[in-house]
Amino acid sequence: MAAPFPNHPQLRGNYAPINFEAQIQDLVVEGSVPSGLSGSLYRNGPNPKYAPTGPYHWFGGDGMVHAFHFNEGRVDYLNRWIRTPKHVAELAEGRSMPRVRKPDANTGKVAADHQNGLANTHIIWHGDQLLALDEGSHPFELAPMTLESRGYSEQGRQLSGAMTAHPKIDPATGELHGFGYMTGYAGSSTLSYHVVDPSGSVVRSDTFEAPYPAMVHDFVITNDYVLFPIFPLTFDMDRASKIGSPFAFDASQGTHIGVLERGAPVSDIRWIEGPLCFVFHYQNAWNEGEHIWVDTIEFAVAPNFPLVDGTLPSYADAQGKLVRWHINMKTGEVRQESVLDVASEFPRIDERFTASRYRHGYIAAASTRQRGDGGLFHEITHVDMDSGKVKTWDAGVGNGVSEPVFVPESAGSAEGEGWLLATVYKQATMNSELVVLNAAAVDDGPVASVRLDHRVPFGFHGSWRAN
Ligand SMILES: [Fe+2]
C-alpha cells in the first residue's frame, strides 16, 4: 500500500505529483488552434510516484512527460512516467527507493552511473529520436507518439560523460553539441564536450579540466565558438555534514568561461574571467569575429542553494534578470548590460536562430506581482532584443505559466513569425490548460486554450517536434 506524501513545499499545490497516466482524445478547445500547427509538444518535469523516504528536492523527482499531439486543429494528449531503472524498481517494490551510490573501496570516490538517472529535466527531438534528459545521465529514448520507454539510447553509450539537459542543435548543420560535468566521479572537475551528428552518432566526446568542481547546468554555442561558463556553485563533500549540502555558492572561486573555437581540440580551450554571478539558462549567443554576445538569465548568487556559510540567498538575490554579455576575445574583457529588470526564467527563442544574431526572446516572467506560491511565474513575455520593447500576457492572479516553446509558422517564415505554446496552471479550478499565443502579439492573449481536467505539475523544459 502506497504511503501518503509528506507536507513539503515542493510537494504541495501544483508541485504535487499526479498519480495517473492518461490518454485523452480530442481535447476541448476555446478559441481556434491554428491549422498549420501540426506536430507534438512535449513537456518534462519531476513527478515522484511514491512518497520520498528521505529529504526531497524538486530536482529529484522521477521524470513524467506530457505530450500534446496537434493535427488540423485537433489536440490529443497523453502523459507517461519514464521507465528509468529506478522507476521500474519502485513499481516492483511499491515504495520510493533512493539511489544510494557507495564510494569505491579503493579510491573513496563515488563513481558516476549514467544509466541510472531520473530523465526529468528536458525532452528533445534529435537524430530521429525523442530523448529525455537529465544532466547526470545519458539520453533516455521514448517513442514519439506513445511515449513508451525504449531505454537509454544506444548511441549515448559512446559518450565520455553525462549529457547536459541543455544541448544545442546547430540549425545550420543539424549537429548536437553538449557537455557533461563531474565526469568519472562525484566531485570531479573534469568536463566532457560532445558533438553528435544529425543521425544521432557521436562524432566527438572529449574531456578537459575545469578550474574547480561545480554544478554546470547550461552552456552556449555560436557559429564559431563553444563556451563553457563555470560559476562557483562548487562541490565539496566535506560541506554536506557541516551545512547540509555538498554544493554551495563560493564567491571566492570566481567565474571562469572556457572558450573553444568550433572544431578545435579541447587542449585549445582558453579560460577567461567572467562576471561573478550565477546562470542556470542562456537565451542565445552569437559572434562577429572575436566579439561574442551571450544573453543570460543572471542571478546574483545561485538560487535554491546555500552560500558557503550555510545561509540561503535573500529573496532579491534569488531573482533572475535578462542580461547581455559582450565578450571581447582580443582583450578577454566581459561587459554586462541589463536588458530587462524583471524577475524571469526559462528563456526560449526561435531555434532556427540558435548560435546566430537574433532578435526575439521569450521568457516566463513576474513583473506586476511578486512570484506566487512556490515561486511560480504568471506572465509570458516577448522581448525585442533590438528595441528593448516588451509585450506581456498575464495569466491571472494565482495562476502559473510554464516555459514558452516557440513554433515557427512554417519552415520559411521570418524569425518570430509563429506561436508560443505553454501550459498554464489555474489555481481556482486546479486544472491546467495549454495556451497558444501569437508570438508577434503575445499581449493579445491566447488564440487558443486547450483544456485538461487535471493539472500538469510545474515542470522544467519541453520541445516541439513538427509532423
Ligand atoms: Fe534547465
Side-chain angles (χ1 to χ4, degrees), residues 121-122 135 165-166 217-218 280-281 345-346 403 460-461:
T121 312
H122 201 349
E135 67 195 33
H166 291 286
H217 187 66
D218 197 356
F280 273 118
H281 301 118
E345 249 296 0
F346 299 126
E403 163 198 74
F460 298 125
H461 302 290

Side-chain angles (χ1 to χ4, degrees), residues 8-17 373 425 427 430 455 457-458:
H8 182 288
Q10 291 171 342
L11 293 166
R12 287 198 294 260
N14 199 38
Y15 287 88
D373 175 44
Y425 167 61
Q427 189 183 47
M430 288 188 65
R455 300 180 293 108
F458 293 134

Side-chain angles (χ1 to χ4, degrees), residues 159-206:
L159 297 171
S160 60
M163 174 65 84
T164 172
H166 291 286
K168 302 291 181 281
I169 298 171
D170 183 333
T173 64
E175 280 180 338
L176 177 146
H177 295 248
F179 73 95
Y181 66 92
M182 293 195 186
T183 303
Y185 63 92
S188 148
S189 58
T190 305
L191 297 186
S192 49
Y193 169 47
H194 318 301
V195 179
V196 181
D197 77 11
S199 74
S201 295
V202 176
V203 294
R204 73 181 279 189
S205 189
D206 305 324

Side-chain angles (χ1 to χ4, degrees), residues 30 110-111 124 130 140 166 186 193 234 238 252 295 329 358 367-368 385 435:
E30 188 181 325
V110 177
I124 64 165
L130 183 65
F140 189 102
H166 291 286
Y193 169 47
T234 62
D238 291 342
S252 71
D295 292 336
M329 288 303 294
Y358 75 113
S367 72
T368 56
M385 302 296 290
V435 295

Side-chain angles (χ1 to χ4, degrees), residues 225-437:
Y225 294 98
V226 188
L227 286 84
F228 305 93
I230 313 294
F231 304 94
L233 180 53
T234 62
F235 182 94
D236 178 355
M237 195 43 101
D238 291 342
R239 272 195 203 121
S241 58
K242 293 176 192 151
I243 63 170
S245 167
F247 287 103
F249 189 81
D250 181 358
S252 71
Q253 299 293 310
T255 297
H256 304 269
I257 307 172
V259 185
L260 179 66
E261 284 187 39
R262 294 263 297 262
V266 288
S267 54
D268 283 4
I269 287 178
R270 177 176 163 199
W271 290 95
I272 60 176
E273 190 179 341
L276 182 60
C277 62
F278 186 81
V279 175
F280 273 118
H281 301 118
Y282 302 94
Q283 186 164 271
N284 198 14
W286 80 95
N287 77 289
E288 290 169 8
E290 292 182 284
H291 295 271
I292 303 173
W293 286 266
V294 183
D295 292 336
T296 77
I297 299 290
E298 191 181 292
F299 296 81
V301 296
N304 295 320
F305 288 94
L307 306 174
V308 281
D309 64 3
T311 59
L312 285 168
S314 66
Y315 183 85
D317 282 351
Q319 307 307 309
K321 307 280 174 70
L322 187 54
V323 175
R324 172 165 285 180
W325 296 355
H326 170 233
I327 303 172
N328 182 338
M329 288 303 294
K330 278 201 179 83
T331 62
E333 187 184 19
V334 184
R335 285 194 185 159
Q336 296 153 283
E337 177 193 352
S338 171
V339 177
L340 186 65
D341 190 19
V342 168
S344 313
E345 249 296 0
F346 299 126
R348 296 298 289 256
I349 59 165
D350 179 340
E351 288 173 354
R352 296 172 299 167
F353 292 81
T354 295
S356 295
R357 177 84 197 243
Y358 75 113
R359 180 165 179 182
H360 302 290
Y362 311 98
I363 51 178
S367 72
T368 56
R369 303 183 288 282
Q370 280 209 341
R371 291 165 63 190
D373 175 44
L376 59 86
F377 294 95
H378 55 267
E379 294 162 338
I380 295 194
T381 293
H382 162 218
V383 185
D384 181 327
M385 302 296 290
D386 285 356
S387 70
K389 286 185 181 158
V390 297
K391 290 179 180 173
T392 293
W393 172 65
D394 186 333
V397 174
N399 299 338
V401 301
S402 75
E403 163 198 74
V405 172
F406 179 87
V407 182
E409 191 170 313
S410 69
S413 55
E415 184 195 352
E417 279 183 14
W419 313 102
L420 294 175
L421 305 184
T423 54
V424 177
Y425 167 61
K426 317 270 280 194
Q427 189 183 47
T429 46
M430 288 188 65
N431 72 315
S432 292
E433 293 178 346
L434 176 77
V435 295
V436 181
L437 298 153

